Amino acid sequence: MSEKKLVAVTGASSGIGAATAQAFSRAGHPVLMMARRVDRMEEMGLDNAVIRKVDVRQREEINAAVAEAEALHGPVDMMFANAGIARLADIGRQPPEEWDEMIDINTKGVLNSVHAVMAGMMARRSGTLVMMSSIAGRKVYPDHTVYCGTKFFVHAVSESLREYLSGYDVRVIVISPGVIETEVLSGVLDAETLANYKANKVKMGGGIGPEHVADLILNAYNLPQKALVQEICLTPTRQTY
Ligand code: NDP
């Protein structure tokens, strides 16, 4: 068993989740990697990785993955509830099925991830929950309506959880990135919204790499349990919206 504690990452098959799994693995932590594309997680070849096919909408799948990883490496000390999709679109023409998908993955998926580890952290009076929101969880955009709703949800739940868990010495960190270069735009199905997003991205000189988010998460985690970075809001320097 590793001396470093077990950490868990949802959405570990690409983008910010993959970069964060990599950063913690490099730092010597066993990492429970969860996503639906197992091949992508396996290709990363991380040391001490426990790879599980998990859809965050399926509570029992997360619970089973956590139980299996904990049997190998001891309790999960950090859960990064990161998995999410961005079906950005003009609400006037967006099919409601896209709302369902975003709400189920970005809100209930985050709660399912938290639920899988929270009781253990409270009992041990130690642990860190890292909650994936967005700059779109701090301000709204007219063509991100439901996506913003899901990220405002994550912000609100995180603020409440932080107060609830503070007496148990469990930390809650919200991550609010701006434009990060990942595969996230593959989830935007509305052509006009995608074109506008890409044009804005060009104007700001492009996004920044997911490894910067990962490094900040690792640094915040490495502070003593007594010290809490409540929110990490990281954007490209030229991003003003
Ligand atoms: P990616 O598309 O690269 O990564 C998304 C990850 O989420 C993938 O690993 C995907 O894995 C996983 N995922 C999606 N749906 C599910 C599901 N139902 N069950 C399990 N895993 C799932 O994008 P990002 O890295 O950018 O996105 C990660 C998070 O960051 C999201 O919550 C996003 O909203 C947020 N974010 C991203 C920003 C950006 O500019 N990139 C800015 C602000 C926030 P798989 O498909 O294999 O299941």
Side-chain angles (χ1 to χ4, degrees):
M1 197 181 281
S2 163
E3 278 173 30
K4 296 270 180 114
K5 292 177 177 170
L6 173 64
V7 300
V9 179
T10 69
S13 59
S14 65
I16 299 167
T20 305
Q22 227 153 15
F24 277 83
S25 170
R26 243 186 265 123
H29 290 270
V31 182
L32 168 58
M33 301 173 73
M34 293 176 277
R36 294 163 300 178
R37 290 171 297 170
V38 170
D39 52 334
R40 292 283 298 264
M41 296 187 283
E42 283 173 350
E43 280 161 18
M44 288 166 62
L46 299 188
D47 286 341
N48 264 335
V50 180
I51 294 170
R52 288 293 177 273
K53 182 173 164 58
V54 164
D55 184 324
V56 292
R57 291 169 288 194
Q58 307 302 327
R59 209 168 285 147
E60 64 286 358
E61 290 184 11
I62 305 184
N63 291 342
V66 165
E68 285 166 33
E70 289 192 332
L72 293 169
H73 295 289
V76 169
D77 193 51
M78 188 278 284
M79 169 63 79
F80 183 21
N82 161 72
I85 57 164
R87 299 253 186 269
L88 312 177
D90 178 319
I91 186 78
R93 57 174 181 259
Q94 186 169 38
E97 291 73 22
E98 291 190 10
W99 314 339
D100 294 342
E101 219 182 342
M102 267 189 293
I103 291 166
D104 286 346
I105 296 173
N106 299 4
T107 68
K108 292 194 214 167
V110 165
L111 286 177
N112 290 339
S113 309
V114 166
H115 185 254
V117 297
M118 194 175 86
M121 289 180 177
M122 289 168 70
R124 291 187 298 279
R125 297 194 158 264
S126 186
T128 303
L129 300 172
V130 181
M131 314 283 279
M132 181 46 96
S133 182
S134 167
I135 194 87
R138 306 176 101 236
K139 59 183 185 180
V140 296
Y141 301 84
D143 57 358
H144 291 25
T145 309
V146 178
Y147 182 72
C148 287
T150 66
K151 296 303 186 180
F152 270 69
F153 174 97
V154 173
H155 254 82
V157 165
S158 302
E159 298 294 316
S160 173
L161 270 178
R162 187 180 302 118
E163 292 194 17
Y164 178 74
L165 292 171
S166 65
Y168 294 90
D169 294 319
V170 174
R171 302 183 295 190
V172 179
I173 301 173
V174 185
I175 312 293
S176 311
V179 176
I180 311 295
E181 296 288 355
T182 68
E183 295 172 26
V184 74
L185 291 184
S186 65
V188 183
L189 307 179
D190 185 73
E192 192 180 320
T193 304
L194 183 60
N196 288 338
Y197 189 103
K198 285 184 172 168
N200 283 332
K201 207 168 126 177
V202 169
K203 267 192 233 154
M204 71 176 78
I208 52 178
E211 66 278 9
H212 303 305
V213 185
D215 287 347
L216 287 173
I217 294 171
L218 182 61
N219 286 336
Y221 173 80
N222 279 337
L223 290 173
Q225 190 72 25
K226 233 187 132 161
L228 169 60
V229 177
Q230 296 199 0
E231 182 171 357
I232 293 172
C233 182
L234 173 71
T235 67
T237 305
R238 288 192 179 187
Q239 182 170 355
T240 54
Y241 40 82

